[in-house]
Amino acid sequence: MLFAPTLPMHAQTPAAPGPRPWMNTSLSPDQRAELVLKQLTLDEKIGLLHGNGMAHASQWQMPLTYLSNGGAGMTAGIPRLGIPNIYMSDASYGVRDSGANGRYSTALTSALGSASSWSAEAACQYGTLIGRELRAQGYNMTLGGGTNLTREPRNGRTFEYLGEDPLLAGTLVGNRIKCEQAQHVIGDIKHYALNDQETGRNIVDVKISHRAMQESDLLAFHIGIQIGNPAAVMCSYNRINSDYACENKYLLTDVLRKQWHFPGFVLSDWGGTHSTEKASAAGLDNEQPLADFFGPKLKEAVEANRVPASEIDDHARRILRSMFLSGVVDHPIEKSVVDIEGHLDIAQHIEEQSIVLLKNDNSILPLDGTKLHTIALIGAHADVGMISGGGSAQVDPPGGNVIAPEGHRGTHWQDHIWFPTSPLKALKAALPNAKIDFNSGTDPAAAAAFAKSADVAIVFAHQWTAEGMDLPSLSLPDNQDALIAAVAAANPRTIVVLETGTAVTMPWLPNVAGVVEAWYAGSRGHIALANVLTGAVNPSGKLAMTFPRSEQDLPHPTIPPLAKEDRGAGSGAVNDRARPASRYSVTYDEGAKVGYKWYESENKQPLFPFGYGLSYTAYAYSNLKTNSAARSVTFTVTNTGKRPGTEIAQVYATLPQQSGETFKRLAGFESVTLAPGESKTLTIPLNPDVLSIFDEQKEAFQLLPGTYKITAGPSSADTPLQGTLNLQ
Ligand code: BGC
């Protein structure tokens, strides 16, 4: 029977007068948590360990609850002691569900898009904005922080994550969480771990060695946790080497608690809890969104001595500690109106740093407003808006879905949602002297005729992705490849603007002059895009994931299909989650060779490599020196072109031979802004975690003594500088 979402009695008890020593802010979060814990009854402790329903009743086939403030989850606090309720909202690229709740949220560039900025500062602004908007809407916990590596680019949630490299993803998520939590919201990193595909996500058993997971997906989480100190980790739906993530002792206790000394709490993904005693012993602290296993059943298990009281104390202590750490006790939520204009500026600025210029033959870009007379804009509803990513990440556009008819603009689970960010309007404003017309692109022949005589044709192409589904392929949907091919055949001065959630294949690439990847571009995406297209902003983004030539080049050319009886297990609905009989599994035999590491080891040429992105200026790299004692690399970057620009310089390391590795690892990176002709010398420290290998016998990382080959340059496939580092 499902737990009925009504507030437990203890959570309705009013505040008691009297001294509250735990409110002494000079004590540590641990000390404060301990003082509260001593006051709690068993019911109050258990109350902290589960949810009380969510706003999305129909998807979850449970009664609607008003308790969650319109958000995804709610855990009751201890009002008599001044411990507030935890109100959780999804916030992947902005706060979810503002539309349904009659509120406003800013949509940022998708997480994957923002990862192309390679900017810790942008990640911090991203987190700060979300933290502020969460609190303004009455939430004190974020469910953002997606960090699963892009091991499977067809994964429908790729846009919610930060690409394929553990150092880049970990650095960015850590900085995001640090700044989110500074706004007094409980930060979260998810989905721990190896939830790298959506197909069968509730049943799939991921097979992978300890070494491979530690050096890939887990390393991203570890770096993120070290930098961001998140209060919470969300365990994922899938199984890993047989056990579900949310009852996986290796992941939750051996790694998270013992190896990493994580002091915060683990909450389950929604419906990702599968047991009481096993999950509790393995290290799950909080069940969401209900209390099927961590409510009455947990209490019964404690009373029957099947779960030790000390285990309950540990769970409750971790949650209380996290509340003190993030400041949600000392800073009660106050609903407010955010600085909308200020936040739109931030969203625009992050998108400007995230757009990646992939191709620019004969400098077709930037568009020159003094020379262009006619521009043919085609496809992807570019007259009215730009697309966004779906699922629990979905941010609602103000006014609703701009391509839906008036009166039907509400947003529903897995609708394709378009923001009212019109590239046509933005380009008209940026190029007032050009005649810019629009064609829908639904008829490729008509679009080609429309484009033929224009000075430039710009084809917009979209790829919608969302939670709960994977893409059947990396091809653009809806006949858009044919549209682009037809327009490019009619007009060689064709530029393609991509609005995608992951990589796409580009059969038309040799025939177009320019390609710009704009991702899911957020609330001011159109203006950021117009600024890049017209050169007001010099693009500097670099891909956080490889774009393959074809699915055949992926480690797994197809995602293993689900058996008939297992279909539906990807949706996440409560009654899909327990299929213990299912044998559906994926074996990640590529191991730690995720993304560029795979292509290098297999000697496969990608379409666009990891770390790649062009600029309207050019850079030269020179004079590499290594410092083995300091484990750092020094080199010079020069802007050899005519425009100021920002270059993301990358350093890779190939480990000594005894590592057995046939690929290089990103070991450091830095952005440098340079005026034309200017040079700067960078000293980049190399991250020791990234240089180490995981020893499965010792269950520990180890830095191998020996010679490390160091390379540096503008992308993983272009590293003109070389040196060595000798580590003892
Ligand atoms: C998703 C999580 C999300 C949760 C709450 C789940 O289906 O996997 O990422 O935070 O729902 O909406």
Side-chain angles (χ1 to χ4, degrees):
M1 203 192 72
L2 288 179
F3 172 79
T6 51
L7 204 55
M9 271 318 287
H10 73 261
Q12 301 171 37
T13 316
R20 289 182 167 177
W22 53 87
M23 292 310 288
N24 177 354
T25 53
S26 67
L27 300 177
S28 71
D30 291 297
Q31 291 169 317
R32 298 175 74 182
E34 203 56 49
L35 288 167
V36 174
L37 192 64
K38 288 207 180 86
Q39 306 286 323
L40 301 187
T41 64
L42 179 60
D43 280 332
E44 286 173 328
K45 289 176 192 170
I46 301 257
L48 287 170
L49 310 189
H50 64 78
N52 296 281
M54 69 187 302
H56 297 275
S58 57
Q59 183 208 339
W60 288 83
Q61 296 157 12
M62 67 186 188
L64 179 70
T65 168
Y66 61 91
L67 297 175
S68 71
N69 181 33
M74 183 274 204
T75 281
I78 319 285
R80 75 177 177 90
L81 303 179
I83 304 300
N85 298 333
I86 305 179
Y87 292 103
M88 310 173 183
S89 175
D90 282 301
S92 171
Y93 60 93
V95 181
R96 181 188 183 189
D97 274 331
S98 54
N101 294 324
R103 305 169 191 159
Y104 162 82
S105 293
T106 307
L108 291 148
T109 308
S110 67
L112 174 70
S114 73
S116 330
S117 72
W118 295 52
S119 166
E121 200 188 329
C124 177
Q125 290 170 350
Y126 203 103
T128 304
L129 184 152
I130 288 177
R132 282 197 198 128
E133 294 198 3
L134 282 164
R135 284 185 60 91
Q137 295 190 27
Y139 300 109
N140 54 7
M141 177 162 178
T142 171
L143 304 172
T147 312
N148 298 78
L149 285 195
T150 307
R151 184 182 282 280
E152 170 47 74
R154 286 161 297 200
N155 177 358
R157 301 188 84 170
T158 301
F159 75 97
E160 292 191 57
Y161 304 140
L162 295 154
E164 67 192 26
D165 181 78
L167 178 64
L168 180 60
T171 303
L172 297 180
V173 79
N175 280 284
R176 167 188 172 153
I177 291 170
K178 189 164 70 181
C179 295
E180 240 164 1
Q181 274 188 181
Q183 297 302 316
H184 310 306
V185 297
I186 297 174
D188 165 55
I189 187 165
K190 73 185 185 184
H191 308 89
Y192 184 68
L194 291 143
N195 181 187
D196 295 348
Q197 67 175 50
E198 288 294 280
T199 304
R201 66 176 177 169
N202 289 290
I203 51 169
V204 62
D205 188 12
V206 170
K207 306 283 189 197
I208 185 168
S209 73
H210 284 186
R211 175 172 173 189
M213 70 168 94
Q214 288 271 5
E215 291 179 14
S216 58
D217 298 52
L218 298 197
L219 183 55
F221 278 88
H222 191 204
I223 294 172
I225 289 172
Q226 284 171 317
I227 297 174
N229 193 17
V233 168
M234 185 193 290
C235 51
S236 56
Y237 283 129
N238 52 295
R239 293 179 281 173
I240 299 109
N241 297 330
S242 302
D243 286 331
Y244 281 107
C246 292
E247 54 187 40
N248 194 305
K249 178 177 166 294
Y250 181 69
L251 250 69
L252 304 186
T253 297
D254 300 350
V255 177
L256 192 59
R257 293 179 176 199
K258 294 196 176 148
Q259 292 175 11
W260 300 352
H261 308 291
F262 174 69
F265 71 100
V266 175
L267 79 164
S268 73
D269 199 347
W270 268 229
T273 309
H274 296 268
S275 60
T276 300
E277 284 118 69
K278 183 176 178 185
S280 171
L284 178 68
D285 301 299
N286 180 283
E287 175 189 0
Q288 291 296 331
L290 291 166
D292 295 351
F293 298 99
F294 273 37
K297 281 187 189 166
L298 187 55
K299 185 177 176 193
E300 205 186 296
V302 178
E303 286 170 344
N305 291 324
R306 295 195 311 273
V307 168
S310 59
E311 209 170 277
I312 301 299
D313 283 357
D314 184 48
H315 298 317
R317 189 185 290 117
R318 285 169 174 275
I319 292 167
L320 291 166
R321 176 200 188 274
S322 298
M323 295 176 80
F324 286 114
L325 172 87
S326 53
V328 305
V329 182
D330 300 328
H331 303 270
I333 308 166
E334 269 175 63
K335 287 196 187 181
S336 62
V337 176
V338 292
D339 171 11
I340 295 180
E341 280 301 320
H343 285 194
L344 287 171
D345 284 346
I346 292 169
Q348 176 185 325
H349 188 54
I350 293 176
E351 170 67 359
E352 285 168 351
Q353 296 169 75
S354 305
I355 289 172
V356 184
L357 178 62
L358 292 174
K359 182 170 183 183
N360 195 18
D361 276 6
N362 302 322
S363 299
I364 187 155
L365 290 167
L367 303 172
D368 184 345
T370 61
K371 293 194 185 124
L372 288 173
H373 301 293
T374 52
I375 301 178
L377 225 63
I378 297 161
H381 304 288
D383 53 337
V384 290
M386 297 179 87
I387 201 165
S388 58
S392 63
Q394 183 71 60
V395 174
D396 294 335
N401 185 4
V402 74
I403 67 159
E406 292 276 5
H408 299 273
R409 291 195 164 174
T411 57
H412 300 110
W413 181 251
Q414 300 212 326
D415 279 354
H416 297 26
I417 305 296
W418 301 71
F419 271 66
T421 47
S422 158
L424 177 64
K425 276 192 207 154
L427 275 171
K428 280 187 171 172
L431 299 170
N433 299 325
K435 183 173 174 309
I436 310 179
D437 291 319
F438 178 75
N439 174 285
S440 72
T442 45
D443 174 351
F450 170 77
K452 199 170 174 52
S453 57
D455 292 341
V456 168
I458 308 178
V459 187
F460 284 75
H462 71 276
Q463 170 211 54
W464 180 78
T465 60
E467 176 180 341
M469 47 151 275
D470 293 325
L471 291 170
S473 79
L474 296 175
S475 297
L476 284 169
D478 303 338
N479 210 25
Q480 294 177 99
D481 282 337
L483 170 68
I484 298 168
V487 173
N491 188 336
R493 292 176 58 80
T494 292
I495 297 158
V496 176
V497 173
L498 297 166
E499 299 170 33
T500 73
T502 180
V504 286
T505 48
M506 305 183 197
W508 33 260
L509 185 63
N511 305 323
V512 302
V515 182
V516 174
E517 175 58 87
W519 312 108
Y520 299 145
S523 294
R524 273 266 188 89
H526 56 321
I527 306 213
L529 176 68
N531 283 344
V532 167
L533 292 176
T534 58
V537 167
N538 187 357
S540 56
K542 301 219 176 173
L543 294 178
M545 66 177 293
T546 309
F547 278 36
R549 282 182 191 277
S550 125
E551 293 80 3
Q552 291 311 312
D553 288 344
L554 297 174
H556 305 272
T558 51
I559 297 176
L562 286 170
K564 204 160 161 209
E565 60 275 18
D566 288 333
R567 300 218 183 111
S571 69
V574 169
N575 39 359
D576 278 341
R577 69 182 141 143
R579 276 180 207 266
S582 166
R583 280 198 289 271
Y584 182 64
S585 66
V586 287
T587 302
Y588 288 141
D589 40 18
E590 75 281 6
K593 287 179 281 181
V594 176
Y596 63 95
K597 296 169 183 165
W598 166 258
Y599 293 87
E600 185 178 349
S601 319
E602 298 291 309
N603 231 331
K604 290 177 193 283
Q605 290 301 313
L607 191 63
F608 293 108
F610 173 78
Y612 176 85
L614 301 172
S615 161
Y616 297 147
T617 187
Y619 304 98
Y621 283 70
S622 61
N623 208 14
L624 180 132
K625 295 195 188 87
T626 58
N627 181 335
S628 297
R631 284 192 214 126
S632 66
V633 179
T634 301
F635 56 92
T636 302
V637 185
T638 306
N639 181 345
T640 57
K642 296 201 176 68
R643 286 170 183 262
T646 298
E647 168 71 339
I648 299 160
Q650 301 156 42
V651 182
Y652 294 85
T654 310
L655 269 50
Q657 212 171 6
Q658 72 259 40
S659 68
E661 288 188 359
T662 48
F663 53 85
K664 57 182 180 288
R665 302 168 169 204
L666 179 73
F669 57 90
E670 198 171 313
S671 291
V672 54
T673 299
L674 297 166
E678 192 186 4
S679 292
K680 275 187 192 158
T681 297
L682 312 177
T683 294
I684 302 183
L686 306 188
N687 184 311
D689 290 338
V690 172
L691 297 178
S692 301
I693 63 158
F694 189 77
D695 181 330
E696 291 191 334
Q697 255 66 54
K698 298 197 183 109
E699 269 293 322
F701 274 93
Q702 186 196 356
L703 203 58
L704 293 172
T707 303
Y708 290 65
K709 183 177 162 203
I710 302 297
T711 53
S715 90
S716 64
D718 183 8
T719 47
L721 303 183
Q722 290 200 10
T724 54
L725 208 62
N726 292 306
L727 301 183
Q728 293 321 313

